Amino acid sequence: MLTLHVDEARWRRHLEQVRDADPSVVPVAKGNGYGLGLVRLAETAQSLGLDTLAVGTYAEVPVVERHFDGSVLVLSPWRPFETRATYDPRLIHTVGRVSDVEDLTSDPSRGRPRVALELLTSMRRHGFTPAELRAAAPLVDRLQVEGFALHLPMDHGSHLGEVERLLNDIVASGIEARTVWISHLAADDMTRLRSSYGDFDVRPRTGTGLWLGDRGALRVTSSVLDVHPVERGDVYGYRGRSAPRAGHILVVSGGTAHGIGLEAPTGGASLRDRAARVAKGGLDAAGFVRSPFTVTGKQRLFAEPPHMQASMLFLPHGAAVPAIGDQVDVQVRFTATAFDQTLLG
Amino acid sequence: MSRLDVRPVSAEEHRAFIRSRRHASFLQTPAWGEVKSDWRRESLGWYDATGTLVGVALVLYRQLPKVKRYLAYLPEGPVVDWDAEDLADWLTPMTAHLKAQGAFAVRIGPPVVTRRWDAAAVKAGVADEGVHRLGEVPPTRREPVGARVLGRLRELGWQQQVAEGGFAAGQPQYNFQVPLRTPEGEQRTEDDVLKAMNQQWRRNIKKAAKEGVVTRRVPSAELDTALRQFHVLYVHTAERDHFTPRPLGYFTTMFAALGAEDPDRIALFTAEHEGDLVASTILIQVGGHVWYSYGASSTEKRDVRGSNAVQWEMMRHALEQGADVYDLRGITDTLDSDDSHVGLIQFKVGTGGEAVEHVGEWDLPLNRALYKAFSLYMARRG
């Protein structure tokens, strides 16, 4: 079993701290629910008394809507080819193109949809440029504009200058709405912004920092499923590899179906990160890849690439051998992991 | 918009265009160029495709030491359509012309408001210990046109000149204005303007009348004498308030140049108490905009409230003229209650008007090396 253990009291304490520090926070529940599941996140947002929940896509709306009473903000931009979009009054759509505004308002049966107008930030993913926003301004009367969405890049120092330019573009558009949903803004910047833009309602949008903000409240373990002693030269695995030296083959739960061994390109791009990657490639070439499983205090090597639901690890001679049924720790990327079970305690 | 042509116009064409507009800064009149006689000046016109004059500017060329290159300065200008869909249509042909005239950089001061704070908002800011600058108080209103000009100038490569405290560079970015019309455009009554003032202002105006203070606009026949008396009082004020006074000649030139454009363009006002001059002020008017430009007041007999009385006289004059706004000119953006400038703000706030922030002054370097040298030179001059 790949198990997520949640120290519920501690987790809850952290969530309440975030909410108390800023009751206008908009939690994000998208994808696999940061490993915790969309339903749990929706229920938790409800119990925290928050008024708006953000989801990633229209497909996620029906999942959270049954467990959360407030407004649901869809972060993926509305597109005319989106077939799953519904238009009930609790839904806030994200719009970022002039033609999408035209298309969205072309069907009167949709009523007057609530929308967040997304602005193009230095991320250059979705959203209106200043000129496009001005072009959209006369058309948005047909929509209920709730506010503006800004999706900032992570890190790279202060974003205050960029945010102030974007808020200026909002004023320039002549659109009256004054709510701004904003992600990845440092606390200091938020404070300064709220002072100079006191006439705006600046609402932070947060996922990782909220749900996974206190990592100590979360622990992931995998069960030892089998143990086999091997001598140097013994053949094992799908691919018929032979053991480089004496030790044990450990079979643990957690494979590609859980997201184990699948990695997205990492964000780190420093020289050190790159050196680490080259070193890892060397291991890879020699037939060893470091696994995310920690056995008796050390991160162990994969004996071969992970299977769909289990992984084979190589435990060199001399290391303490765990018993079948023991739990070993696993480092995972929560947003890319499917757990077999979640235990709250 | 089709291409606009920019070329020099005569002072008469320039003046006629200004006359046709409800709002233009007096710093953009040809007469102002005569006041700034140590600068080379040029009147510029914008012509549309039909050959109609659609915009003007007064350009002051300030020479760089030792080189025949100039900073082209358009104080509170140019007088163009700042609400245009694309400002590049207006600014690009202008900068091309100025570059051909030897400009290494252009400095403009769009007469466009970005934010407004009513008297109550400013007052609350001064009272709040945690607030140090006007920008930290939520404005009563943000102006979309101003925001658009800011964004577009930045996109077009213009650089905002940040004046620390709001007074350092050229023209002040923050002004205090009393609207003389309702939001619906109707002229406000004297009563209405008085009622909007704070109690102290009203009390002071009443007190001046009770003390027998006589206020009036100086008729042209008495101007020479009155201007000399103004200057004596103004030099006295400068000593008391620690600023450097301008020579009398500056004011006589100003009256001669501005007065020649229009008899109501510039006027001197006085407040007298038992034959003593207690306050004297200069008013300037262009179209619907009236400015309180320079002021002087005596240290003696302060309690007869000549300053409030003469301001009220000028406001009444502005109302009679059918003006839209009475402009008390610059304030700093400080709201620190222990900053010496805050007294000036509080005096102006008492009129019940509003603090307005303009787009500010913006530079476009045309020759990077010379511009950098110029910036260093200005920084050293402090």
Side-chain angles (χ1 to χ4, degrees), chain B residues 240-310:
Chain B
R240 185 187 65 216
D241 296 347
H242 312 293
F243 64 85
T244 313
R246 292 182 180 281
L248 176 61
Y250 184 80
F251 296 101
T252 48
T253 306
M254 208 161 122
F255 269 85
L258 270 64
E261 277 192 350
D262 183 329
D264 282 327
R265 177 79 83 229
I266 185 163
L268 186 66
F269 284 77
T270 57
E272 289 176 337
H273 181 255
E274 293 169 354
D276 295 326
L277 185 65
V278 289
S280 184
T281 48
I282 294 172
L283 172 147
I284 298 178
Q285 176 173 11
V286 179
H289 208 117
V290 168
W291 291 266
Y292 154 52
S293 177
Y294 282 92
S297 63
S298 66
T299 309
E300 278 174 30
K301 292 191 171 181
R302 279 197 92 115
D303 55 321
V304 302
R305 302 298 171 187
S307 289
N308 298 95
V310 79

Side-chain angles (χ1 to χ4, degrees), chain A residues 175-306:
Chain A
I175 299 170
E176 293 290 332
R178 285 294 175 264
T179 296
V180 178
W181 292 280
I182 195 162
S183 66
H184 302 126
L185 193 69
D188 276 10
D189 286 357
M190 186 61 92
T191 307
R192 287 174 61 189
L193 204 62
R194 282 189 167 148
S195 162
S196 53
Y197 283 84
D199 50 333
F200 278 74
D201 183 14
V202 186
R203 304 193 61 175
R205 215 172 39 204
T206 172
T208 308
L210 178 70
W211 308 120
L212 308 176
D214 182 5
R215 284 299 167 102
L218 307 167
R219 183 174 166 232
V220 180
T221 62
S222 148
S223 312
V224 176
L225 300 173
D226 235 324
V227 183
H228 308 289
V230 287
E231 292 302 323
R232 184 167 188 267
D234 282 357
V235 174
Y236 65 87
Y238 273 130
R239 291 169 174 80
R241 290 187 181 189
S242 56
R245 51 189 189 271
H248 285 84
I249 297 290
L250 218 61
V251 185
V252 295
S253 48
T256 53
H258 299 91
I260 298 291
L262 304 179
E263 52 181 338
T266 58
S270 69
L271 199 59
R272 207 183 136 178
D273 292 330
R274 266 178 268 158
R277 232 172 291 157
V278 170
K280 213 168 143 192
L283 270 177
D284 208 358
F288 297 117
V289 175
R290 202 150 66 125
S291 83
F293 297 90
T294 302
V295 182
T296 58
K298 265 184 91 172
Q299 242 183 308
R300 300 299 172 178
L301 303 174
F302 277 124
E304 73 166 352

Side-chain angles (χ1 to χ4, degrees), chain A residues 9 12 14 38 49-50 132 138 159 167 169 179 193 204 213 337 339 344:
Chain A
R12 181 82 196 181
H14 165 73
L38 294 178
L50 301 171
E132 287 163 1
H159 292 295
L167 295 188
D169 292 336
T179 296
L193 204 62
T337 306
F339 299 101
L344 298 146

